[in-house]
Amino acid sequence: MKTLYRVLAPTAVLAAMAACGGSPEPEPPPPPPPAPVASRPVPPPVNNDADAARRAREAELARLRSTMAEVIYFDYDRAEIRADSRAALDRKTRILRDEPTVRIRVEGHADERGSTEYNLALGSRRAEAVRAYITAAGIQAARVEIVSFGEDRPADPARNEAAWSRNRRAETVVTAGALTASR
């Protein structure tokens, strides 16, 4: 029994000390403060309204350029404005009205059939038909230059009806002023 007493006595003393609030274990030290983080400059807040307005202006300029670049097509051996081209010419005319500093060149083209002289004259009549349409809508003739390339600058070099129909055309090029999308 002596042996049991020797084993239980120290255990009982330790239990009593714990129950009586004997010497508590030391508290752990507080964690160290976080290391300083290299600060990065904070970008200024994005002005979404200004960004949206910029994107809208860019989209409008792209639309204006695309409209001015729309090609006007003609029937074989004809220089009359086709019904399907009038809407494109009306859009071009609206832009010219809204952008009074813009000047354009209308380039007339023909397919390869016919003599060089005939095709130059036909290209000129096509360019003149476009200018007449635009000036009849109120745009000053001095803002619309014309030139004929005849058959010299084909849009499609193939020698078939599909290619020839793409080559019978008038193209518009902005030569002065700037499209501003100020509307």
Side-chain angles (χ1 to χ4, degrees):
M1 185 122 171
K2 249 182 175 181
T3 311
L4 183 62
Y5 179 72
R6 284 185 190 176
V7 171
L8 290 178
T11 307
V13 171
L14 286 175
M17 284 176 60
C20 293
S23 67
E25 292 204 18
E27 290 185 31
V37 177
S39 66
R40 295 183 196 154
V42 177
V46 175
N47 186 341
N48 289 335
D49 290 342
D51 196 39
R54 180 188 53 78
R55 283 193 310 273
R57 276 192 309 277
E58 288 173 358
E60 178 64 7
L61 281 172
R63 185 192 68 76
L64 294 174
R65 287 184 192 110
S66 175
T67 298
M68 292 307 288
E70 287 182 78
V71 177
I72 306 301
Y73 292 100
F74 293 87
D75 291 329
Y76 175 70
D77 201 26
R78 296 278 186 235
E80 294 83 24
I81 302 296
R82 297 184 338 194
D84 62 339
S85 295
R86 288 191 179 106
L89 287 171
D90 291 341
R91 287 189 293 274
K92 290 174 191 271
T93 303
R94 277 193 297 277
I95 291 170
L96 291 169
R97 247 188 246 120
D98 292 341
E99 305 281 357
T101 63
V102 171
R103 293 175 175 264
I104 62 171
R105 178 179 59 239
V106 180
E107 301 174 344
H109 300 268
D111 63 38
E112 66 184 25
R113 298 173 291 178
S115 70
T116 300
E117 295 81 19
Y118 182 83
N119 286 336
L120 281 170
L122 181 57
S124 183
R125 288 195 309 274
R126 288 173 175 166
E128 181 55 44
V130 170
R131 177 168 58 183
Y133 189 96
I134 291 172
T135 57
I139 304 302
Q140 295 172 339
R143 293 176 58 197
V144 186
E145 170 191 357
I146 64 168
V147 65
S148 175
F149 292 111
E151 64 191 68
D152 290 340
R153 295 186 181 182
D156 187 335
R159 301 183 74 169
N160 56 47
E161 185 53 45
W164 294 328
S165 68
R166 284 188 288 277
N167 293 334
R168 298 187 299 260
R169 69 196 192 281
E171 296 178 339
T172 306
V173 178
V174 175
T175 59
L179 300 172
T180 62
S182 59
R183 294 181 273 162

